[in-house]
Amino acid sequence: MAAKTTLNAQNLEALGVQRLAELLIELSTGSAAHQRRLRMELAGNHGSAELAREVRKRLSSIARAKTFINWRKVKATKTDLETQRKIIVETIASHDPVDAFELIWQFLAIADRLFERSDDGNGSLMQSFHQAGIDAGNIAKSAKIDADVLAEKVFKAIQRNGYGQFDRLLTAMAPALGHKGLEHVKGLFVDWSKEAREKPAQNDRQIIGWSSVGAIYEDDVYENHKDLTIRIALQEIADVQNDVDAYIAQQPEKTRSAPLVAADIANRLISAGRAEEALAALDNVEAKGWENVPFEWQLARTAALEALARNDEAQAFRWMCFEQSLNEEHLRAYVRRLPDFDDIEAEERAFAYAQAFPDANRGLNFFLRWPSPAQAAKLVLNRSGELDGDYYELMTPAAEMLSTKYPLAATIALRAMIDFTLDSGRSSRYKHAARHLTERKSLANQIEDFGKVRAHQDYLADLQREHGRKSGFWSLAS
């Protein structure tokens, strides 16, 4: 049984209504956020209309505010936004979806002014607006907003999508728009694309920057942004309508040979049951070799081959991609499709290939990602002279993984980073190198036989002889 002083609903109820009210007044004094929350609760007690009025007032207040929101204030602002959004979605929408839709649209409308005065480096505030876009789609469907009216709203919103707050809004709104609404939105974007460009006289053109080819003009940037906005919107509509040809039509001919674009198109063609066309689109890329194309393109090609029941070709391609890149995902997919026991032989063959791979660091990275500590230790011991101590993003996790069962291999990984730091005079890394030296001293006690590797005291003596004058390092290592 919980103690009587435990903070839970049952114990607090025992204080009585009057005492709880006094405590709430006391705790909310000096906190605008807490006071707003209490006013919201009081408004909700008088019906959704009164609650909607409070939300509307708060959103208007946020829109009018001019104080800069630095990183310290982002959390409080996020909480405020989420409070308003949840009240709209969870309370008002169930009683009056029409009013709730107007409020969620007002919520979305404050994005520009909010981002103009905020530092949303981690995207926390943006998440609230993206979620509000999804909420707007759900509420619009419940409110049965006229499709043409909704289409106009969505079009105008995406036109002013300066911060990306309306990204994927079309997808969220698709159920509420229906076929009629989507066609209306599509028509609005097509009409916008046909509007003649009003290019100002040369003397009136505003220069906003410079590039390697000359001045960057404001009107050119606007037109480029407009063209991109239209293309993305029409592609999104095509996806919603499962119209792969309309999607492809929005991709400029010159970009269809780019590997990522080709993969994007191919995946849609495969989903539409048009694998032959998908394979043709993929094989039309401009690349010097399949080893130079991105992973996404390689995945799309194997998917196209499998969709055509060309499974042996797909497997051969996976293995070739693995050999070129040591990407463990290709090997996993390859092994997963093999009969029992053949997978063990394939894994052993892959390990042998990775051990002899020209770049020892990529081989080590593969064994870390597979993962196989034993194979990683083997590679480190056999190819210690090829390890890149500058690659600390690899050597640090390698040392951590190897330290438990393979202390000698872990020691070599740590030494690679220490040696690089001191040999290159990277004083910014001295503190890390000093920590690595301490770690390898601890590992030395676990090593029974150093073999051809210098023992700890010998290595330390060599460091002092070669780098004894680097006082910044030794002051940290002592």
Side-chain angles (χ1 to χ4, degrees), residues 60-74:
S60 296
S61 177
I62 294 173
R64 290 194 307 269
K66 296 181 180 179
T67 305
F68 184 76
I69 303 169
N70 59 28
W71 65 271
R72 293 184 179 86
K73 299 176 182 177
V74 165

Side-chain angles (χ1 to χ4, degrees), residues 11-72:
N11 287 342
L12 289 173
E13 285 174 5
L15 294 175
V17 174
Q18 183 175 347
R19 182 55 183 154
L20 282 173
E22 292 171 351
L23 285 172
L24 285 172
I25 292 295
E26 179 183 334
L27 292 172
S28 65
T29 300
S31 172
H34 291 160
Q35 289 176 355
R36 278 197 300 271
R37 181 58 190 273
L38 289 175
R39 280 197 296 271
M40 290 290 183
E41 292 296 328
L42 290 171
N45 201 40
H46 289 83
S48 65
E50 184 64 23
L51 185 57
R53 190 176 71 84
E54 288 294 325
V55 173
R56 192 171 288 110
K57 283 169 54 180
R58 182 57 193 155
L59 293 176
S60 296
S61 177
I62 294 173
R64 290 194 307 269
K66 296 181 180 179
T67 305
F68 184 76
I69 303 169
N70 59 28
W71 65 271
R72 293 184 179 86

Side-chain angles (χ1 to χ4, degrees), residues 97 159 171 175 255 353 461 472 476:
Q159 277 187 307
T171 301
T255 67
Y353 184 85
L476 293 168

Side-chain angles (χ1 to χ4, degrees), residues 358-394:
D359 186 339
N361 299 285
R362 288 177 66 179
L364 177 58
N365 187 53
F366 164 72
F367 289 125
L368 258 63
R369 293 172 67 89
W370 184 252
S372 176
Q375 290 290 328
K378 178 181 176 182
L379 185 145
V380 168
L381 291 170
N382 290 339
R383 304 178 68 178
S384 59
E386 300 174 55
L387 300 181
D388 185 355
D390 188 26
Y391 196 179
Y392 60 89
E393 302 95 332
L394 170 64

